[in-house]
Amino acid sequence: MSHTFHIPVLGLGYSVDTPIKAARYGISSVASIVDDELIERIRKYHTLQNNEHFIPIPATEADYRAKRITAYLDLMDRIVNRQFEALRQEPFEEGREISRYFELLPETAPLKIQYGEMLATEDPVEKSRLQNELRNNLTKGAIDVNIMSKVDKMNRGTDGELLDEIYSDASAALRGFAMSTLHSSLILSAGMNPRLYNYLEQFEDFYPDENGKFRKKVILKVSDFRSAFIQAKFLAKKGIWVSEFRIESGLNCGGHAFATEGYLLGPILEEFKAKKQEMRVELFALYRSALEAKGRKTARIPEIRITVQGGIGTAEEDRFLLRHYEVDATGWGSPFLLVPELTNVDEATLKDLVTAESEDFYVSNSSPLGVLFNNFKKSSAEKQRLERIAKGRPGSPCKKKYLVSNTEFTTEPICTASRQYQNLKIKQLQAITPQPADYEQQFNAITEKLCLCEGLSTAALLENKLLKTGENKSVAICPGPNLSWFSKIYSVEEMVGHIYGKINLLANVNRPNMFINELNLYVDYLKKDMELHAETLTDKKQKYFQKFREQLLAGIAYYNTLVADFTHQTEAYKQKMLDELKAASASLEALCPVAAV
């Protein structure tokens, strides 16, 4: 790849068409394929924008969800291919797309060095030769897709009968990608879904061709080595190779946050670095046996890439991760929400992000999935949630139903963010006599759930003027805490230049190192969790807290040693890190769970 970073998935709509905007410059990005309704509307928009004939795929059509996703991915593939070929044919002149492609590259990239040589060459014959060579070596950014494994409800047909499991939400999305023309990767996140993982076996594109190449690759988004290895072995036994482990910080990231039991990013990366080759060999033995059982052969071990994302904020941090942990690339997500040229953020939300303070970004229990969620206090969806509570009508109308899961009160699953569920749950709480001492706390826990199916799509509809009359205009957004240090609207050149150290967008900002920031997030998380369970502490929970605390202290000990390896930083920077580690350690030492009664 031309670049050493990628743009991860950003909510449902924020990066749904980012590949159309970024891939021609060699920048890889990830689109969510959860919301087929949003995808159908975005497909219509880009079809017409590109002077193609739009043929709608109605929800009454058999297998409509998969068909919509395939049609959209094929459209993106066509658009990007046309853009890329047009770029390749352009003359090397100032202001041209082809010149922009090379100017965005890092200074150390072989292509960028060649580009500089071409510009400096005065001999017209040699210049023409170098230009042709550069054109031939251009590569597109990948059009990758993301499926959250947990978003996988079963569906019913038009006759009301339950459909086969291959028509579940995640399975249909997988099929939509598998049947597309894309040569790219499927990123699976949010843990293992055996049904979905088993389904991968059915599609030829996930198996190697006679040259050992994959038309479509599998990437696992993971937060620790153990779970990554377990998932990869499960897939290897089925003849499915994991081409990349995309390591994400447990808490210092955008979207849903999967807190580890105190395992910090640095030690996790160290474990991947130390065990990568051993893991590769063990996985290949399982993989080769599985392929042979299917009548397939493979002669060599396929590549495994290790990448990292979540909270990276400076070029120095980016370089350190690439150099010290030998990762293949980094992911920069939330900062690109401030780059309108590449992502879909409506004007009002963009303004609120620019003026936000650090306390406006927080980890919440807002997600109906029951997983921690990075929320934004200034979002219009959050304001609407509070207004509905004030009016005595908590909860949201549930239209898309992607996150339905609760059967406490109903036969059919319903969403915990829905008005239906919250009304039933509040009535149950009010019926308890005498009223529980923690009534307000329980009430807030019920009503904290937020509709994400619509909220995370709305900005894309607003930005592209696709919102219909009467539709909810409230926007949910889930940036990581790292965004609090970025406070402007940026151009592509500015953000990419910042990543590669050409400019420094945070030059006058007092920001802790990404490892320190994640550590502090974990310490705060542990404190809050202990306070929440102070009155009802069980032996199991006490052991969990103790293990969590011990892992954090082990992480601090690791970082104390690691600071010496920050050779490109000043002594003052390193001393500040040591002081912050000492402060975090003191906070943890003061945390002693009371023994369970």
Side-chain angles (χ1 to χ4, degrees), residues 475-540:
V475 172
I477 193 165
C478 48
N482 189 42
L483 193 61
S484 63
W485 287 287
F486 293 86
S487 56
K488 279 176 58 182
I489 295 172
Y490 303 104
S491 67
V492 176
E493 280 75 12
E494 285 176 315
M495 189 56 71
V496 174
H498 175 74
I499 292 170
Y500 292 138
K502 299 174 187 178
I503 59 172
N504 185 0
L505 302 178
L506 305 181
N508 300 312
V509 176
N510 182 19
R511 172 186 173 277
N513 177 275
M514 61 177 288
F515 291 143
I516 299 295
N517 195 44
E518 186 199 47
L519 169 62
N520 290 335
L521 289 168
Y522 266 100
V523 173
D524 288 343
Y525 172 83
L526 178 59
K527 284 181 180 177
K528 288 175 184 174
D529 203 16
M530 288 175 64
E531 287 169 5
L532 188 65
H533 292 86
E535 301 296 323
T536 57
L537 188 64
T538 63
D539 285 332
K540 183 179 179 181

Side-chain angles (χ1 to χ4, degrees), residues 44 159 162 247 335 425 435 474 488 529 592:
K44 180 179 180 179
D159 59 0
L162 199 65
I247 306 163
K425 193 67 178 173
Q435 194 175 88
S474 67
K488 279 176 58 182
D529 203 16
C592 295

Side-chain angles (χ1 to χ4, degrees), residues 283-540:
L283 287 175
F284 183 65
L286 298 171
Y287 176 68
R288 183 169 56 187
S289 295
L291 287 185
E292 287 174 354
K294 294 173 184 286
R296 301 171 183 266
K297 290 185 179 180
T298 183
R300 53 194 172 86
I301 307 180
E303 175 192 38
I304 289 183
R305 282 164 52 87
I306 306 292
T307 63
V308 59
Q309 60 196 45
I312 310 168
T314 66
E316 289 82 5
E317 289 174 354
D318 191 86
R319 282 195 291 263
F320 184 80
L321 293 167
L322 292 167
R323 184 183 69 251
H324 185 82
Y325 295 109
E326 299 170 8
V327 297
D328 297 285
T330 56
W332 287 66
S334 296
F336 276 98
L337 292 170
L338 300 180
V339 183
E341 191 178 341
L342 296 186
T343 56
N344 295 305
V345 183
D346 61 287
E347 189 176 342
T349 303
L350 193 59
K351 183 179 178 181
D352 285 335
L353 289 175
V354 166
T355 58
E357 303 292 335
S358 59
E359 57 268 21
D360 292 321
F361 303 90
Y362 69 107
V363 176
S364 73
N365 286 306
S366 299
S367 172
L369 285 177
V371 177
L372 292 175
F373 181 75
N374 278 284
N375 210 343
F376 181 52
K377 286 181 183 176
K378 288 188 172 183
S379 76
S380 52
E382 183 61 16
K383 292 172 186 173
Q384 184 183 67
R385 182 185 72 83
L386 295 173
E387 286 169 2
R388 284 171 169 169
I389 295 169
K391 292 176 181 176
R393 287 177 58 78
S396 307
C398 189
K399 297 177 181 178
K400 294 185 176 179
K401 303 186 185 302
Y402 294 127
L403 302 182
V404 297
S405 62
N406 187 281
T407 54
E408 186 178 353
F409 302 105
T410 56
T411 304
E412 286 290 315
I414 58 175
C415 180
T416 55
S418 70
R419 184 164 294 153
Q420 180 186 10
Y421 172 81
Q422 293 191 11
N423 282 341
L424 291 167
K425 193 67 178 173
I426 290 168
K427 284 179 182 177
Q428 182 189 65
L429 179 63
Q430 290 171 337
I432 299 173
T433 52
Q435 194 175 88
D438 62 346
Y439 176 88
E440 187 177 353
Q441 182 180 313
Q442 289 193 54
F443 179 89
N444 290 339
I446 295 166
T447 58
E448 186 179 7
K449 302 302 180 188
L450 188 66
C451 175
L452 301 182
C453 297
E454 288 196 342
L456 291 177
S457 299
T458 306
L461 298 175
L462 283 170
E463 188 62 11
N464 293 295
K465 297 179 174 56
L466 301 175
L467 205 66
K468 297 174 184 176
T469 304
E471 287 188 318
N472 193 345
K473 296 180 180 179
S474 67
V475 172
I477 193 165
C478 48
N482 189 42
L483 193 61
S484 63
W485 287 287
F486 293 86
S487 56
K488 279 176 58 182
I489 295 172
Y490 303 104
S491 67
V492 176
E493 280 75 12
E494 285 176 315
M495 189 56 71
V496 174
H498 175 74
I499 292 170
Y500 292 138
K502 299 174 187 178
I503 59 172
N504 185 0
L505 302 178
L506 305 181
N508 300 312
V509 176
N510 182 19
R511 172 186 173 277
N513 177 275
M514 61 177 288
F515 291 143
I516 299 295
N517 195 44
E518 186 199 47
L519 169 62
N520 290 335
L521 289 168
Y522 266 100
V523 173
D524 288 343
Y525 172 83
L526 178 59
K527 284 181 180 177
K528 288 175 184 174
D529 203 16
M530 288 175 64
E531 287 169 5
L532 188 65
H533 292 86
E535 301 296 323
T536 57
L537 188 64
T538 63
D539 285 332
K540 183 179 179 181

Side-chain angles (χ1 to χ4, degrees), residues 12 130 168 573:
L12 297 178
L130 286 170
S168 71
Y573 182 96

Side-chain angles (χ1 to χ4, degrees), residues 126-184:
E126 177 62 8
K127 187 181 279 281
S128 179
R129 185 192 70 79
L130 286 170
Q131 287 180 350
N132 287 333
E133 194 173 312
L134 286 169
R135 284 193 177 94
N136 291 333
N137 288 326
L138 290 176
T139 56
K140 291 176 293 186
I143 304 173
D144 292 330
V145 303
N146 178 252
I147 295 176
M148 275 192 77
S149 297
K150 289 180 182 291
V151 183
D152 193 24
K153 82 171 187 304
M154 296 295 291
N155 289 304
R156 294 183 181 276
T158 52
D159 59 0
E161 291 297 311
L162 199 65
L163 295 172
D164 189 275
E165 63 182 22
I166 67 166
Y167 296 102
S168 71
D169 280 353
S171 296
L174 168 57
R175 184 166 57 258
F177 171 66
M179 302 307 291
S180 75
T181 57
L182 289 177
H183 288 228
S184 62

